[in-house]
């Protein structure tokens, strides 16, 4: 999926966001247990994705999983606290480009599909992640 598509989806789902209660998305993602499974599947997809797997070679996968779970929980309106580093701090110097970013979003979509998360909920989560693009991609 191209970045323009992701950004367009982010814009389009603005209406859906306003119509939802803050924790609706959290429930649609299956609450904490669903988000944990989702993030585990995402990390497996990343490990199998030759476009980006190398960038995670030296990563602390347990920490990464915990921080991603916290982050998605908070973003979706769940009762969590994000205790990780900022997106700018954690991605600085990693030379992440648009292709890498889009690959990770595709891996996330595949994980959400395998969890039978509705397209509407998928779009809302991506809309919440899309604004982080500027802090993650190298300029
Ligand atoms: C919306 C997109 C993304 C989100 C929400 C995200 C989120 C995160 C989070 C929460 C952390 C952990 C911060 C911490 O340890 O305190 C992290 C670390 C990291 N991210 Fe991302 N990230 C995204 C995109 C990417 C992309 C595209 C890549 C590369 C292809 C990438 C590579 C990494 C790496 C290598 C780490 C460090 C892991 C470690 O050293 O243990 N991220 N990211």
């Amino acid at each position: 999926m191209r970045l323009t598509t992701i950004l367009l989806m982010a814009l389009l789902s603005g209406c859906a966001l306003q119509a939802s209660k803050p924790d609706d998305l959290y429930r649609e993602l299956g609450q904490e247990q669903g988000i944990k499974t989702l993030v585990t599947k995402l990390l497996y997809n990343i490990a199998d994705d030759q476009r980006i797997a190398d960038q995670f070679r030296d990563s602390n996968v347990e920490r990464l999983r915990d921080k991603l779970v916290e982050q998605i929980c908070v973003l979706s309106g769940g009762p969590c606290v994000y205790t990780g580093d900022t997106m700018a701090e954690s991605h600085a110097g990693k030379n992440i480009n648009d292709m890498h970013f889009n690959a990770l979003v595709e891996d996330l979509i595949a994980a959400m599909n395998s969890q039978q998360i509705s397209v509407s909920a998928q779009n809302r989560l991506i809309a919440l992640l899309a604004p982080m693009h500027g802090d993650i991609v190298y300029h």
Side-chain angles (χ1 to χ4, degrees):
M1 184 183 306
R2 296 170 58 92
L3 184 65
T4 41
T5 317
I6 294 165
L7 296 176
L8 183 64
M9 281 161 60
L11 284 175
L12 289 175
S13 57
C15 307
L17 264 182
Q18 277 167 10
S20 304
K21 289 200 219 88
D23 64 348
D24 278 355
L25 180 57
Y26 177 66
R27 268 187 269 116
E28 286 185 65
L29 295 176
Q31 307 193 51
E32 193 174 349
Q33 194 49 53
I35 294 172
K36 278 184 178 160
T37 308
L38 176 64
V39 168
T40 301
K41 286 187 173 172
L42 167 64
L43 292 174
Y44 276 118
N45 290 346
I46 289 173
D48 282 342
D49 188 338
Q50 303 207 336
R51 296 171 295 180
I52 53 175
D54 241 27
Q55 309 208 32
F56 292 87
R57 206 178 27 207
D58 302 324
S59 294
N60 176 345
V61 176
E62 256 178 46
R63 178 188 163 99
L64 183 57
R65 189 183 49 217
D66 287 352
K67 300 308 166 199
L68 278 169
V69 168
E70 287 175 4
Q71 192 183 42
I72 292 176
C73 175
V74 172
L75 277 176
S76 63
C80 308
V81 177
Y82 178 67
T83 61
D85 299 330
T86 66
M87 290 300 93
E89 281 163 359
S90 38
H91 299 93
K94 291 187 165 43
N95 290 326
I96 298 169
N97 61 29
D98 281 344
M99 185 277 286
H100 300 132
F101 189 89
N102 291 346
L104 187 138
V105 172
E106 282 178 23
D107 293 342
L108 174 63
I109 290 171
M112 291 194 287
N113 281 334
S114 77
Q115 288 275 94
Q116 264 110 46
I117 292 168
S118 71
V119 171
S120 147
Q122 293 191 19
N123 288 347
R124 272 139 62 212
L125 180 58
I126 290 167
L128 294 166
L129 295 172
M132 298 175 183
H133 173 267
D135 282 340
I136 291 171
V137 168
Y138 170 79
H139 296 287

